[in-house]
Amino acid sequence: MDPPPTADTAASSTPTSSSLRKRTTGLSVNTSPPPGGGGGGGSSRERERKARQEAGMDDVERGEEPMSPAGRLFRETHFNCYIVALLGLGSPVDVAAVRAGLEATLVRHPRFSSVQVTDDARKNVKPRWVRTTVNLDDHMVFPDLDPAATSADPDRAVEDYVSSLSTLPMDHSRPLWELHVLDVPTSEAAAAVVLRMHHSLGDGVSLISLLMACTRSAADPSRLPALPPPSSGGPPRQPACLLALAAWVWSLLVLAWNTVVDVTRFVATSWFLRDTRTPFMGTQGVEFRRKRFVNCTLSLDDVKSVKNAMKCTVNDVLIGVTSAALSRYYFRKTASSDDTGGGDSRKSHKNIRLRSALLVNIRKTPGLHTLAEMMDSSKDNAVKWGNQIGYIVLPFHIAMHDDPLEYIRQGKKTADRKKRSLEAVFTYWSGNLVVKLLGIKAAAALCYGMFTNTTMSFSSLAGPAEKVEFYGHPIVYIATSVYGHPHALTVHFQSYMNIMKLVFAVDDEQFPDSHQLLDDFAESLRLVRQAASV
């Protein structure tokens, strides 16, 4: 089957769909000094150089670097994945300030100033990153939105435009990123920008670390944002005694057993173990179809309140709320076909197998790190830039409970079980081994089997805990997602300050009621929060 236009290939060299968007050409903007630099050119350049060093994006020697196995996987036809980050801004876009900021930061980043090169004439030559000169006019996009649409419903107009990006290929002769400027006020923000980048450039942790390097604290614009504390939730420290030694030995045995079981299930899922057919599961070719990106704002304080009441972690709460919301949606969608007037249709779905592919950061040190740390090229760097991710298959509990907190208990049980397993580490290293021994096509086939036999993708990522500015523009919200993989539903939670953004990437045809699914999540969190307060 020939891939539709959403799966662009590395051989493309000319921009397409130009009628849907316009690029700037020849903006008369002096980007040498930063905005507001005044006449002190020398001091301004010194401050800019110092900021680049602090952020980890100072100039480096141009060269070549081989692509990682994960980066190569994201080039494959069925995994041509892109990350989309929508930033709501608190003020209209100052184009000059944004251009100057990009020139000082993003343009100097090794990945964002490199192209992917493959020598087709030579056998067994790995694709590699090659540094190039970045023309910022090729990467800043200023779309012509319909004035009537933006006046009638600006939120929908922005949503439609961001969704249209999933159908537009990128030009692989340039660095694979774009910044789309949507200077349209919406219900939540005065304007928005959309950063679209190919997933081979880095994973979610890398992207958020890069974003934080491109921002400054709103309270003190002279410093980078403070990193959010790493999530706690590991087992309590045991006292130094024989009992602790026995507990340690037992935990190792449990870890080994759980890893063997999880790896066996992962391999079975890649080959034949398929989820139950539900309204959430995609059909063949879903990775090539248009995706719609929708989001809503939840209260992070509500999530933390449930966390404290249930003595669990934020991720435990998010897993439980997701189970509750999916259950609400599922039983509402299937009620008409299952309820024939006799019995309880909710009890006839006890054994629903609904699992997600969950990306896990396998860096030895969890949480976010400064970009300067991640760009350290030393071999012993445990938090280096790139796609340092493994996969786990995470099951979700689909049922109807009178007690909303039962979803949280089940979510905590599932998360605790997965924490006592090395499934993510195994899938990362075994994936690299498969690439080396059998090639990228074999690794892509195994991953494709795992995705098509599971139902959805799920992830959560912590963002800045304080208000930050994007090149002088206060950020109101951050909504990130991904597309290009074979799932019809991707659920992502993104925290920022005291809010939690819930973002979906859904098959546009399969989920015409995606906003209703958002409401199911909001209502599920409300019910769980209410029950936890009692």
Side-chain angles (χ1 to χ4, degrees):
M1 179 179 68
D2 294 332
T6 50
D8 54 321
T9 62
S12 65
S13 61
T14 57
T16 61
S17 301
S18 58
S19 60
L20 296 180
R21 56 183 176 174
K22 283 190 175 181
R23 300 182 184 275
T24 56
T25 55
L27 277 179
S28 57
V29 178
N30 182 8
T31 59
S32 298
S43 60
S44 297
R45 286 191 293 270
E46 178 63 24
R47 286 196 299 269
E48 180 180 325
R49 184 192 63 80
K50 185 177 180 181
R52 290 198 304 268
Q53 289 180 333
E54 183 183 22
M57 288 185 283
D58 203 4
D59 286 318
V60 297
E61 184 178 354
R62 297 182 183 275
E64 298 184 4
E65 184 179 348
M67 292 185 64
S68 66
R72 293 167 61 191
L73 176 64
F74 287 125
R75 288 167 47 98
E76 291 300 299
T77 301
H78 297 286
F79 296 97
N80 195 23
C81 296
Y82 293 85
I83 296 174
V84 177
L86 173 64
L87 307 181
L89 305 179
S91 62
V93 179
D94 182 346
V95 176
V98 172
R99 284 182 61 91
L102 292 174
E103 291 280 7
T105 54
L106 206 62
V107 170
R108 300 176 182 273
H109 189 280
R111 284 291 178 271
F112 285 73
S113 59
S114 297
V115 294
Q116 300 175 3
V117 175
T118 303
D119 190 353
D120 296 330
R122 298 169 58 191
K123 296 286 187 179
N124 300 322
V125 176
K126 297 179 180 179
R128 59 195 186 276
W129 297 103
V130 178
R131 295 294 293 269
T132 186
T133 301
V134 178
N135 180 6
L136 197 54
D137 290 333
D138 293 334
H139 299 271
M140 291 190 70
V141 183
F142 297 83
D144 285 332
L145 299 181
D146 183 3
T150 56
S151 299
D153 191 345
D155 293 315
R156 180 72 180 193
V158 170
E159 178 186 306
D160 287 342
Y161 179 78
V162 178
S163 300
S164 72
L165 297 180
S166 65
T167 67
L168 300 178
M170 267 193 183
D171 183 357
H172 280 248
S173 67
R174 300 165 176 160
L176 296 176
W177 65 274
E178 296 171 341
L179 186 75
H180 299 251
V181 179
L182 305 176
D183 211 354
V184 177
T186 62
S187 60
E188 290 188 272
V193 294
V194 186
L195 176 63
R196 182 170 70 138
M197 54 175 274
H198 199 269
H199 212 318
S200 59
L201 272 66
D203 55 19
V205 173
S206 299
L207 175 62
I208 293 297
S209 298
L210 174 64
L211 175 63
M212 295 182 69
C214 294
T215 62
R216 291 295 181 267
S217 168
D220 182 7
S222 65
R223 68 171 176 84
L224 292 169
L227 293 174
S231 60
S232 60
R237 184 171 296 178
Q238 301 290 339
C241 59
L242 290 178
L243 182 61
L245 178 60
W248 179 74
V249 173
W250 174 251
S251 66
L252 286 182
L253 294 175
V254 171
L255 181 69
W257 172 254
N258 289 345
T259 301
V260 170
V261 172
D262 287 345
V263 168
T264 302
R265 289 176 177 170
F266 187 93
V267 174
T269 300
S270 297
W271 288 351
F272 61 86
L273 186 59
R274 190 172 180 83
D275 279 3
T276 306
R277 172 61 62 180
T278 64
F280 306 105
M281 201 161 193
T283 56
Q284 185 177 6
V286 66
E287 61 270 28
F288 302 124
R289 293 197 288 270
R290 173 188 169 104
K291 299 301 182 296
R292 178 162 293 276
F293 303 100
V294 297
N295 69 80
C296 71
T297 302
L298 306 176
S299 170
L300 183 58
D301 291 336
D302 285 351
V303 175
K304 291 181 177 179
S305 177
V306 177
K307 172 187 80 78
N308 296 332
M310 300 297 292
K311 295 180 173 57
C312 59
T313 67
V314 167
N315 280 335
D316 296 341
V317 177
L318 298 181
I319 293 173
V321 168
T322 300
S323 293
L326 295 179
S327 297
R328 288 174 62 89
Y329 184 91
Y330 173 81
F331 288 111
R332 183 177 64 251
K333 295 286 285 187
T334 59
S336 58
S337 59
D338 292 337
D339 191 359
T340 58
D344 188 352
S345 62
R346 297 177 300 180
K347 296 180 180 179
S348 64
H349 297 275
K350 278 187 175 181
N351 299 318
I352 298 174
R353 184 190 294 122
L354 192 157
R355 300 170 299 166
S356 73
L358 174 64
L359 291 173
V360 178
N361 173 25
I362 65 160
R363 294 171 175 87
K364 293 181 180 179
T365 306
L368 295 179
H369 304 271
T370 64
L371 191 62
E373 291 179 285
M374 301 190 76
M375 297 311 298
D376 182 3
S377 60
S378 59
K379 291 185 178 180
D380 59 348
N381 182 17
V383 296
K384 63 178 62 177
W385 175 278
N387 284 287
Q388 307 293 320
I389 49 178
Y391 288 100
I392 68 173
V393 177
L394 181 71
F396 282 94
H397 177 66
I398 303 300
M400 292 298 286
H401 294 293
D402 295 330
D403 180 9
L405 296 181
E406 184 60 27
Y407 296 106
I408 308 301
R409 298 187 189 100
Q410 292 292 335
K412 183 180 186 304
K413 181 180 178 181
T414 299
D416 287 346
R417 164 65 178 76
K418 287 295 182 178
K419 290 172 187 174
R420 300 185 180 95
S421 172
L422 297 177
E423 179 183 3
V425 177
F426 174 86
T427 56
Y428 175 77
W429 290 111
S430 63
N432 289 348
L433 183 62
V434 169
V435 171
K436 291 180 181 179
L437 297 180
L438 303 177
I440 191 65
K441 298 297 183 183
L446 289 174
C447 284
Y448 185 72
M450 186 270 293
F451 272 88
T452 55
N453 287 333
T454 54
T455 300
M456 53 180 278
S457 295
F458 177 87
S459 63
S460 65
L461 198 58
E466 61 175 325
K467 191 166 189 175
V468 298
E469 294 181 348
F470 178 73
Y471 305 133
H473 304 77
I475 293 182
V476 178
Y477 64 83
I478 304 172
T480 56
S481 191
V482 64
Y483 70 91
H485 56 292
H487 275 155
L489 172 64
T490 297
V491 177
H492 179 74
F493 290 94
Q494 176 69 64
S495 69
Y496 170 54
M497 296 191 295
N498 64 336
I499 66 173
M500 178 72 75
K501 266 293 182 184
L502 168 63
V503 190
F504 294 158
V506 299
D507 186 316
D508 209 2
E509 295 181 1
Q510 186 173 336
F511 288 90
D513 56 350
S514 55
H515 286 274
Q516 178 61 57
L517 184 56
L518 287 175
D519 293 339
D520 288 331
F521 274 76
E523 178 64 10
S524 296
L525 177 59
R526 186 190 69 81
L527 293 175
V528 167
R529 171 69 177 85
Q530 185 179 12
S533 65
V534 176

